[in-house]
Amino acid sequence: MTQPGRVLSQFWSPLCAVGSHGPGGPNAQVCLSVFGASIVPERPRLLVVLWKGNYTHELAAASGTLAITVLGEEQAELLEPLGLHSGRDGPKLEGLRWRPTPEGDPVFEGGAGWLRCRVFDAFDLGDATAFLAAVLETGEGEGTPLRWQAAQQVVGERFLARWAEKSARDRAAAARLMRWPGPPGAQA
Ligand SMILES: Cc1cc2nc3c(=O)[nH]c(=O)nc-3n(C[C@H](O)[C@H](O)[C@H](O)COP(=O)(O)O)c2cc1C
């Protein structure tokens, strides 16, 4: 296959903070893979793709609930604590502005919108799980949703260098685990 083109970036969702909870408390991660999955307005669903190595993945699979904050353009500073650090290494919400849903999942203040969800099915992608979630409640926020294309212009060199390092590790792990047609390493 030739190198994938930039057209694939058209499929990135707005940047979201996907939160869940466990016995150790709430946690959240950055995600650009949150997609609408219903045409029936009274039964809204989302597909949320979380990498298996993430602590939030473990919490969502065990608790079956999610809170999703659509990040606003003023919230790029959340990308470092939520997107470069793991809740496995210790609580990472300290000092951030959030409130819990009735289930205990974190919704971040100042977002462009938020949703409370119940996970009711999951599809194994090998490296990740696509969680199918029923939307129980939504709330509007302020501002314009933050997209990764725009965020990369404001996060700074230090963030981008750390992100490149982490991405290389995450991609190598995903390449080993992902479901793909044909034998490992095969082209499509
Ligand atoms: C811009 C950006 C986009 C990301 N998109 C995703 C994504 O779509 N799915 C995912 O599982 N992780 C995604 N991540 C990575 C997680 O946010 C990251 O691995 C995080 O540290 C996981 O935290 P946790 O272990 O506390 O759950 C993204 C990170 C950034 C910075």
Side-chain angles (χ1 to χ4, degrees):
M1 190 176 81
T2 53
Q3 275 300 311
R6 271 201 319 200
V7 66
L8 280 170
S9 66
Q10 301 295 340
F11 295 92
W12 295 339
S13 73
L15 291 172
C16 294
V18 174
S20 192
H21 72 283
N27 190 63
Q29 66 156 85
V30 176
C31 183
L32 48 60
S33 311
V34 179
F35 309 105
S38 171
I39 58 164
V40 178
E42 61 279 16
R43 290 182 176 177
R45 299 182 303 194
L46 292 174
L47 261 181
V48 183
V49 181
L50 302 184
W51 310 338
K52 285 184 181 173
N54 291 346
Y55 183 47
T56 311
H57 177 285
E58 187 180 317
L59 299 182
S63 72
T65 67
L66 293 175
I68 298 172
T69 307
V70 180
L71 297 178
E73 281 188 339
E74 307 302 312
Q75 291 181 304
E77 77 280 359
L78 288 177
L79 298 183
E80 173 166 353
L82 301 184
L84 291 184
H85 299 276
S86 177
R88 287 189 202 290
D89 303 325
K92 62 185 209 185
L93 305 190
E94 275 166 22
L96 305 180
R97 292 196 309 128
W98 61 275
R99 64 174 173 80
T101 62
E103 294 77 23
D105 302 330
V107 169
F108 292 85
E109 305 291 349
W114 59 270
L115 309 98
R116 244 180 82 218
C117 303
R118 184 164 61 79
V119 172
F120 67 101
D121 210 343
F123 304 93
D124 188 359
L125 310 187
D127 56 327
T129 300
F131 292 104
L132 183 60
V135 176
L136 307 177
E137 190 183 357
T138 65
E140 298 304 318
E142 313 132 29
T144 310
L146 177 64
R147 294 199 165 260
W148 183 222
Q149 290 91 332
Q152 287 174 84
Q153 310 302 313
V154 298
V155 285
E157 290 304 317
R158 189 170 153 273
F159 178 99
L160 291 174
R162 292 174 63 197
W163 170 242
E165 229 173 77
K166 176 170 155 50
S167 294
R169 283 197 308 274
D170 290 338
R171 272 200 298 271
R176 285 191 298 275
L177 296 170
M178 69 194 300
R179 295 181 59 205
W180 184 254
Q187 306 288 316

